[in-house]
Amino acid sequence: MPSESTPLIQQVPVAEHRERYPHRSLRRYCTIALTTVPLLTLLIILFCIAIGGDSDLFGEHESSRLDFGTKEVVGRTVPHAAWPESDGLSYKALKKILSETPNPDKAREWSKYYTAGPHLCGKNLSQAEWTRDKWLDFGVPQADIVSYEMYLNYPVDHRLALLDGDDVVFEATLEEDILDEDPTSGLPDRVPVFHGYSASGNVTAQYVFCNYGTYHDFEDLEKAGIDLKGKIALVKYGHVFRGLKVKRASEMGMIGVVMYGDPGDDGEMTEENGHKPYPDGPARNPSSVQRGSVEYLGIAVGDPTTIGYPSKPGVPRQPLEGKVPDIPSLPISYAEALPLLKALNGHGPNASAFNEYWQGGGLGYKGVQYSIGPTPPETRLHLMNEQDYVITPAWNVIGIINGSVSDEVVVLGNHRDAWIAGGAGDPNSGSAALNEVVRAFGIAVEKGWKPLRTIVFASWDGEEYGLLGSTEWVEEYLPWLSEATVAYVNVDGGARGPHFTASAAPLLNKAILEITGEVQSPNQTVKGQTVRDTWDGYISTMGSGSDFTAFQDFAGIPSIDLGFGAGPNDPVYHYHSNYDSFSWMDKFGDPGFEYHATMAKILALLTAKLADEPLVQFNATDYAVGLDKYLQSVKEKAKSSDMAALSKSTFHPLEKAIEQFQHFAKDFDASAIALSELASTQMSPPSLAQLYQGIRVANTKYKLLERQFLYAGGLDGRNWFKHVVFAPGRWTGYAGATYPGLVESIEDKNQTNVDRWVEIVEGTIKKATDLLIPG
Ligand SMILES: *[C@@H]1O[C@H](CO)[C@@H](O)[C@H](O)[C@H]1NC(C)=O
Ligand SMILES: *[C@@H]1O[C@H](CO)[C@@H](O)[C@H](O)[C@H]1NC(C)=O
Ligand SMILES: *[C@@H]1O[C@H](CO)[C@@H](O)[C@H](O)[C@H]1NC(C)=O
Ligand SMILES: *[C@@H]1O[C@H](CO)[C@@H](O)[C@H](O)[C@H]1NC(C)=O
Ligand SMILES: *[C@@H]1O[C@H](CO)[C@@H](O)[C@H](O)[C@H]1NC(C)=O
Ligand SMILES: *[C@@H]1O[C@H](CO)[C@@H](O)[C@H](O)[C@H]1NC(C)=O
Ligand SMILES: *[C@@H]1O[C@H](CO)[C@@H](O)[C@H](O)[C@H]1NC(C)=O
């Protein structure tokens, strides 16, 4: 067990409160500049003003005057060479190392290591130590284990049986088949099927098929007059985070939940379509079970007993109520759901008689009618779930390469813990890729390179239970992270199929679109195709479901989450099942491990771009475009709601604020690019120093821009979430909601609250605008 202190991180200085926008010193530079080279000086003055230096000379809001001077340089890339503090290697030489080092065979080796044995949160210290030692070996100057004391559960016992009166007609094994072809499926210490944070309980009751268990599904059941009280819910996985299914079932008066993954959600790769199941083919193995957390992710994340502060030894623990389920739940395979579904046949209405969301179950060919139930009184389920709740240490690994600019930091993270011994896709395809990234940066460091900004690598523990490791770490280092962090880059399932996916804060869209254009696709239909060429460029908004959540939604740090996933025609990914194993990955998921290596290259180059380009590679205009687009969808929502009272002018203040923001964002981006372009072409050191001072001001503003969208009061009923633009949906958990405060007030038909949220959001947009306004 590692020491409870965190020596490494405590060495990182938490900058004292200081003037964030050094107008005064910038003004001094501009003044000095006036007395030197006349033409250059004039340009410098103009740019200093545009970026937010001294506006006295021209009065307020004069940045538009710069347009004539900046248009022609906007869009060109910024050469790296001239930054005075960059060290050791040219940016070009660095990029060469980062794109040539990641290696599929190495990634395969790391994958094999991580997936050799169980690594449930808090259960495998040796993997944390191994990771730390590897990173040090690779040449990262500092790496250490940072531990927390997590409240969580481990499985003790369970039972699921179908009863006819007092007779047991079906006893579920609650086991996945042991496969000769897949050694970790048969480990004696393999992890049982269970739900993280599920309630212990022992119930016997009739049951009801509740579709995906979404909020709307339960509304539909209520409308159809189905009696849910005192019953057990049988639900399919999918559409919303599993914990929210349990939450809603409990609110409907149900007393237990059984979940299974229906092959109707497996795309084309089904047995019904003639595909053999794993291990003989790409279809889902019928005995596979999806484990997972049932924490109420839409409400809060992290250790549920320490919401808002880190789980250090001895801290006060909060009550669990409202954050985790109060009724038991169990995950099962579709093979074991079959007898339960069939016992419902002919009882209650058919799902097919409901709306479109209820169509498409994939077990019709096995004789399932998808009748909703409830089952007759004598047909009952016995559901027993026994969990041991403990407070146990969990271990993040944190590696640091100090940069020249101490208060600008880029964090790259992946979680290490898995629900099963495997986890070859989730998360250890990301872990294998991360190791290749670290190895590549280590080579650069050994060649004498020092980044401009500090780079932090993180291997989180406890993501699976509820983003525990990352959330507690962000809560502990919040002052330093808010002060210094430029961006957070996340990879979870880095390679589970061939399709590139990204979700990001809009500030980062530009960087990922550019970087994917520099990395070769592992699957080229035309020679030379990059990942960008084989990707549609769609970037989704940030929701939750991985370790970026605390960074983005709590700390206001622009974040991005990357992966290669499976499409409907790819081998079925056995999410949170024993078959998310090395054997599956080696044969079906990424044979050859080329996607692992490609992910490593993308992550390495993206991190370098964010950490080592003189100008922070953000685009504020993209944020403004996003804000406008999200507002359109709120207006659509308002229109389709029956809130007659919502007048046309309700959203007018927001439209105006966004327009203003967009105006200044455009000027700011253009000026920042022009400034760095100028810096890259000026060779005279005194002028350069002045230009860099201007770039530094621009970088500080880019760094702090996302923070302006935090609202200290938090979202209604879940005030840990501070971001007013992005949050997980209240009833989705994974999927991102935009302007959640507004949308939820509309859903609640509360005009007063709509007006309140218009004002709150408007306030944040104005703060963001003020940050970008020169002077
Ligand atoms: C990195 O910077 C911190 C803070 O300045 C310092 O305490 C630490 O020793 C540095 N690490 C290395 C390896 O230089
Ligand atoms: C920890 O992980 C390693 C590597 O995957 C594995 O070999 C070992 O069995 C695990 N240890 C425990 C205690 O589960
Ligand atoms: C669960 O309840 C049943 C009766 O409904 C009882 O026979 C059994 O012993 C209970 N099991 C546990 C572990 O409490
Ligand atoms: C449900 O569908 C089956 C055929 O799939 C049909 O035989 C049955 O009558 C339907 N039940 C109801 C209540 O419509
Ligand atoms: C490669 O791309 C082709 C064409 O898009 C596709 O049919 C094939 O399945 C892909 N193979 C892999 C391994 O991604
Ligand atoms: C920034 O984003 C805007 C809006 O998407 C776009 O028009 C502009 O070209 C971008 N600028 C750069 C330098 O990428
Ligand atoms: C509507 O929202 C306001 C806060 O803006 C709150 O005080 C009030 O209780 C809400 N009304 C209802 C019916 O929930």
Side-chain angles (χ1 to χ4, degrees), residues 112-119 123-124 126-127 189 421:
K112 190 154 198 176
Y113 168 77
Y114 282 115
T115 59
H119 43 301
K123 288 282 200 186
N124 200 319
S126 71
Q127 280 206 5
D189 56 351

Side-chain angles (χ1 to χ4, degrees), residues 435-453:
N435 276 4
E436 283 302 272
V437 173
V438 176
R439 197 168 67 82
F441 276 109
I443 290 173
V445 168
E446 275 163 6
K447 291 200 150 92
W449 171 77
K450 178 175 188 175
L452 209 52
R453 304 185 179 89

Side-chain angles (χ1 to χ4, degrees), residues 510 619 621-622 625 673:
K510 163 180 154 169
N619 182 332
T621 312
D622 277 334
V625 171
I673 287 211

Side-chain angles (χ1 to χ4, degrees), residues 716 745 748-757:
D716 298 332
S745 308
D748 297 345
K749 307 193 196 315
N750 185 333
Q751 174 77 51
T752 322
N753 218 27
V754 172
D755 294 338
R756 180 175 153 257
W757 275 102

Side-chain angles (χ1 to χ4, degrees), residues 128-148:
E129 292 169 338
W130 182 92
T131 302
R132 176 200 56 199
D133 295 347
K134 270 279 172 289
W135 290 3
L136 290 170
D137 282 354
F138 291 154
V140 169
Q142 289 175 269
D144 210 342
I145 291 173
V146 180
S147 67
Y148 296 94

